[in-house]
Amino acid sequence: AVVSTQSTGKDKYTKTLQEMDCLKHELETRTELARRNDARASDLKQQVIDWEKVVAEEQEEKLDISADMIRQYKTMQSTMALRIHLLESNLSHLQVQLD
């Protein structure tokens, strides 16, 4: 009966060691997977930051272009108003000469 108890104790001990090895292996695997996921998440966060920067630059460029177009339009409007005024003045002067 003593041999049987020792054998059962050794079997339990061996089984416990095997379970511990399996658990250690699973922990190592999950730790590596978590590390990879963290690295991937970090890469994705950096990509988001990079794309946000690109979007901000594009929006700034769009605003710059709009501002330049508005400035050009106002300049053309002023030039045309001056030209119309000069033509009207010239027309009035010519009408006075005809009369």
Side-chain angles (χ1 to χ4, degrees):
V2 175
V3 172
S4 174
T5 305
Q6 286 179 344
S7 178
T8 304
K10 283 184 181 181
D11 290 342
K12 285 182 181 180
Y13 180 72
T14 302
K15 185 177 179 183
T16 302
L17 289 178
Q18 288 174 345
E19 287 177 1
M20 285 177 49
D21 285 342
C22 286
L23 290 172
K24 284 181 185 178
H25 179 65
E26 187 171 341
L27 179 61
E28 290 170 358
T29 302
R30 289 187 182 208
T31 300
E32 178 61 21
L33 183 60
R35 186 198 60 77
R36 288 182 189 171
N37 286 337
D38 287 346
R40 181 69 178 138
S42 179
D43 289 344
L44 290 174
K45 284 179 185 177
Q46 187 58 48
Q47 286 180 8
V48 168
I49 290 168
D50 293 344
W51 281 112
E52 286 174 341
K53 183 178 177 184
V54 167
V55 168
E57 289 170 355
E58 290 292 327
Q59 287 175 339
E60 187 175 332
E61 184 177 348
K62 180 181 172 184
L63 289 174
D64 289 346
I65 290 170
S66 294
D68 189 49
M69 289 177 71
I70 290 169
R71 182 192 56 77
Q72 288 179 15
Y73 174 78
K74 287 182 178 181
T75 299
M76 286 175 38
Q77 193 175 29
S78 296
T79 302
M80 289 302 294
L82 179 61
R83 187 170 180 199
I84 289 170
H85 176 71
L86 290 175
L87 288 172
E88 287 175 343
S89 294
N90 193 14
L91 178 63
S92 294
H93 178 69
L94 289 174
Q95 284 177 339
V96 168
Q97 284 183 349
L98 284 175
D99 292 339

